[in-house]
Amino acid sequence: MTNDPSARGSRSRLLKWLGIASDDDIADEAVRAEIASFRDPSAREIWLPAKRRLLAKVADFLIDHDLEVMPWTLEIAYDCVTGANPRLAQLILERTEQGHAISLSWLEKVMREERGDGSAEMLAALMSRLEESLEDFASTTSNARTATSEYGAALQQHVDDLEQVSRAGVVITELAALAKAMMHRTREIEHNLAESEQRAMALQSSLDEARRVADEDHLTGLPNRRAFEMLLDKELATASAQGEPLCVAFVDIDHFKRINDSHGHAAGDRVLKIVADTLARISDARCHVARHGGEEFAVLFRALTIEKAWDRLDQAREEIAERRLVNRATDMPFGRITFSGGIADVFAYPTKGEALRAADEALYAAKQAGRNQILLAGQEPPPLKDAA
């Protein structure tokens, strides 16, 4: 029997045509046909199904936690479903198991703690070093200009003295000419130093403005989160040194997502500004209001007991709740705008971090208890009331 594959194929086809082909012959032919048609899968055929599964997991993550589709929420979802950020995934799991929602403000807070505000701190350090260099430069320039001016005045006196000597001869005349040239050059240097000093002052002014912009929330004009943290450290040191009380509060606009969804983000920005302006009116040299992120604000009260701080903050809450706002673009009413808050005595806790967490937990308790109220840290929430 021949071993030629082509001969075997011809024999198999002949037997099949005669109707006497064996099962082995048919099976062999099917295998050969399958092998002949086999090809390596393309790269697209390999990764496309995996990519679709990954996108589906990311979408499920956003839907399950009712998160808006934004670049940074997509990044968070990707990190969680791929295991790129196991710590964040674990924090989200623990929070959901506790029955808490995964809100945008909570994610912002966690991501800041996770990553740190490195870029802002680096910018602040660079600005501080630049400011120190400017101060040194201005001082050096001022001293050099003063010395140059005194030197020029002395030269001028020598020139005047030389020119008054009528019998000095050629040598004296040449010395007088040289002194005049030196004096002229000295005046030029003095002028250039004065211009450099003015430029340094202008740069210092620009630096001060840049520092102000870096610490300010562009929408509300309030201090931003970074500025608030610096204020907290400053007020904590002052209150501790002077034996004064210090309280911290977080407030959050109720149903803010509903406002954005119903009226648009421009209207939501207007509501943010109105709440910011109302809170800003309770601030003074010992009370600081900042936008902490999203629809959340932070307030510091120094030299006020927690009861008096609560009273001042609650007055602002009542003022907002009594207003009836209308969307200027559509003439549709916003409905009742309210906010909830939590307040804590900073010195009642071992660290400022624990005090901040206590205020945040009191805010969450106020939300759970029906919103539109301010709760003290550790206070038993009142019976649930209708949400505003």
Side-chain angles (χ1 to χ4, degrees):
M1 182 175 183
T2 178
N3 291 324
D4 184 4
S6 60
R8 287 199 303 271
S10 299
R11 175 179 176 279
S12 176
R13 288 192 295 273
L14 177 61
L15 293 177
K16 185 176 179 181
W17 183 78
L18 293 173
I20 57 174
S22 66
D23 291 340
D24 291 341
D25 290 330
I26 295 173
D28 289 345
E29 186 175 356
V31 169
R32 285 194 297 273
E34 184 176 352
I35 293 173
S37 63
F38 177 79
R39 64 176 178 82
D40 292 332
S42 65
R44 177 180 175 81
E45 290 171 335
I46 293 174
W47 58 255
L48 188 57
K51 188 175 183 180
R52 285 174 175 160
R53 288 193 298 271
L54 177 59
L55 290 174
K57 289 180 180 179
V58 170
D60 289 342
F61 180 92
L62 297 177
I63 293 170
D64 291 344
H65 298 299
D66 193 24
L67 296 173
E68 295 183 25
V69 180
M70 298 184 293
W72 74 279
T73 55
L74 287 170
E75 179 184 355
I76 289 171
Y78 177 84
D79 287 347
C80 288
V81 301
T82 60
N85 193 334
R87 181 178 178 278
L88 176 60
Q90 181 63 32
L91 289 174
I92 291 174
L93 178 61
E94 291 174 358
R95 185 170 176 85
T96 53
E97 288 178 347
Q98 294 170 1
H100 299 165
I102 306 301
S103 63
L104 292 177
S105 59
W106 181 83
L107 282 173
E108 285 180 354
K109 187 178 301 181
V110 170
M111 293 306 293
R112 285 193 183 98
E113 293 174 355
E114 178 78 13
R115 297 174 178 174
D117 199 5
S119 58
E121 294 302 326
M122 183 181 296
L123 177 60
L126 288 172
M127 291 173 71
S128 295
R129 289 205 299 271
L130 177 57
E131 191 168 29
E132 291 174 0
S133 298
L134 281 173
E135 290 175 356
D136 292 342
F137 175 76
S139 176
T140 302
T141 303
S142 178
N143 293 336
R145 186 164 57 84
T146 300
T148 303
S149 179
E150 293 173 353
Y151 176 66
L155 275 178
Q156 181 66 57
Q157 183 61 45
H158 290 314
V159 169
D160 293 342
D161 291 343
L162 287 172
E163 287 181 338
Q164 290 177 6
V165 180
S166 58
R167 53 188 178 80
V170 177
V171 175
I172 296 299
T173 303
E174 290 179 351
L175 285 175
L178 179 59
K180 283 183 178 180
M182 291 174 63
M183 184 183 65
H184 178 71
R185 181 56 180 159
T186 300
R187 298 301 185 202
E188 287 183 349
I189 294 173
E190 183 182 358
H191 177 71
N192 292 338
L193 286 172
E195 287 187 344
S196 297
E197 192 173 2
Q198 290 176 358
R199 291 193 187 100
M201 292 173 62
L203 183 55
Q204 179 67 58
S205 177
S206 299
L207 181 60
D208 293 340
E209 177 66 14
R211 189 185 296 279
R212 184 191 65 78
V213 171
D215 290 340
E216 183 180 282
D217 175 64
H218 70 281
L219 177 64
T220 63
L222 294 175
N224 58 20
R225 183 187 181 115
R226 191 182 82 91
F228 169 76
E229 291 173 352
M230 295 172 64
L231 283 169
L232 176 57
D233 290 337
K234 178 183 176 182
E235 293 296 303
L236 182 58
T238 302
S240 179
Q242 299 182 4
E244 296 174 326
L246 181 67
C247 301
V248 61
F250 289 123
V251 301
D252 189 271
I253 301 175
D254 297 324
H255 300 300
F256 186 71
K257 184 176 184 298
R258 188 168 66 190
I259 296 172
N260 275 335
D261 292 344
S262 301
H263 298 276
H265 289 278
D269 287 348
R270 181 184 167 219
V271 170
L272 280 170
K273 291 178 183 177
I274 291 172
V275 173
D277 290 344
T278 304
L279 290 172
R281 285 197 290 274
I282 71 173
S283 65
D284 54 31
R286 296 182 176 183
C287 174
H288 307 283
V289 180
R291 187 181 179 193
H292 206 243
E295 65 271 25
E296 186 175 82
F297 298 85
V299 190
L300 277 177
F301 299 95
R302 180 166 63 84
L304 287 180
T305 63
I306 193 168
E307 292 79 15
K308 291 182 178 179
W310 178 92
D311 185 63
R312 184 181 289 191
L313 191 58
D314 198 58
Q315 288 178 16
R317 179 197 61 78
E318 287 184 355
E319 180 182 340
I320 288 289
E322 289 172 359
R323 297 185 64 173
R324 295 297 180 266
L325 303 176
V326 175
N327 187 342
R328 295 171 181 170
T330 62
D331 291 330
M332 291 177 57
F334 284 114
R336 194 181 187 197
I337 302 299
T338 63
F339 65 72
S340 304
I343 185 168
D345 179 354
V346 175
F347 291 121
Y349 298 88
T351 65
K352 68 175 182 180
E354 292 182 53
L356 292 173
R357 280 192 292 274
D360 191 52
E361 289 170 1
L363 165 61
Y364 182 76
K367 292 280 190 180
Q368 294 295 101
R371 298 179 172 84
N372 190 26
Q373 57 190 302
I374 311 295
L375 291 186
L376 303 179
Q379 176 185 359
E380 190 68 26
L384 184 67
K385 64 181 181 180
D386 293 336

